[in-house]
Amino acid sequence: MNHWLMKSEPSTFSIDDLAAASKRTTCWDGVRNYQVRNMLRDQFAVGDLAFMYHSSCPEPGIVGVMKVVKTGYPDSTAFDPKHDHYDAASTPQQPRWYMVDVRLEQRFSRVITLDELRRHATKQLRGLLILQRGNRLSITPVSDDHWRFIMSLATA
């Protein structure tokens, strides 16, 4: 099983939106970065767990846990000219972009803030990609050790 961190701006899609979705499940669409696309297409597996991270907001941080319930498949929003994520170069026959389906597993009682994560960057969270300068990927892998430590923060 893999662990991930998946960022979303809460003004676009928040943990509240995921909680309100039918069966607390939805697709994770709109990724338009080739490196992340490759992860969604090739590395995500049913049963993988991911932290949901709210970004570009007053208090960025991890707000809960999601489970992957469907592996990578073509992102249909790329085929719709009326959609914000439309990409004329992506077709159903030759899809350029992929998405996965996720289900809300756990909403944390508090936000594990970016500042809190940074306080552990030199020891327990050394190497956590979201803490590295210049990292702008919307999805990053999380090691087992980092996963366990962050989960301990959520229950502390």
Side-chain angles (χ1 to χ4, degrees):
M1 174 177 49
N2 296 312
H3 295 113
W4 306 95
L5 184 143
M6 301 171 76
K7 291 189 214 173
S8 180
E9 296 178 11
S11 61
T12 302
F13 187 80
S14 71
I15 196 163
D16 293 332
D17 296 319
L18 182 55
S22 175
K23 298 181 183 176
R24 298 166 36 126
T25 302
T26 193
C27 61
W28 196 271
D29 65 356
V31 169
R32 296 299 182 264
N33 172 285
Y34 287 107
Q35 186 177 351
V36 175
R37 183 269 323 257
N38 293 347
M39 286 184 237
L40 290 170
R41 184 188 64 198
D42 304 332
Q43 297 176 19
F44 273 61
V46 170
D48 284 359
L49 297 174
F51 289 124
M52 185 173 198
Y53 181 96
H54 283 173
S55 64
S56 300
C57 59
E59 189 173 45
I62 298 171
V63 295
V65 175
M66 305 177 293
K67 180 181 274 188
V68 176
V69 295
K70 184 175 180 182
T71 57
Y73 60 99
D75 183 341
S76 57
T77 66
F79 313 141
D80 181 358
K82 296 177 184 169
H83 200 282
D84 290 345
H85 300 143
Y86 176 65
D87 181 348
S90 185
T91 66
Q93 298 76 28
Q94 292 188 309
R96 181 178 283 187
W97 306 111
Y98 283 74
M99 60 186 172
V100 297
D101 287 357
V102 294
R103 180 181 65 224
L104 179 60
E105 291 292 300
Q106 179 182 0
R107 179 193 291 246
F108 292 159
S109 59
R110 66 181 186 87
V111 177
I112 301 171
T113 66
L114 179 59
D115 287 340
E116 183 176 358
L117 295 172
R118 284 181 177 143
R119 286 197 297 274
H120 301 284
T122 59
K123 290 189 179 182
Q124 297 93 336
L125 296 178
R126 181 182 309 220
L128 184 67
L129 290 176
I130 195 167
L131 300 177
Q132 293 182 359
R133 292 185 71 87
N135 178 34
R136 309 241 339 125
L137 295 177
S138 62
I139 298 176
T140 54
V142 175
S143 74
D144 292 344
D145 287 342
H146 290 159
W147 182 269
R148 282 189 293 275
F149 181 75
I150 293 169
M151 288 301 291
S152 77
L153 295 175
T155 58

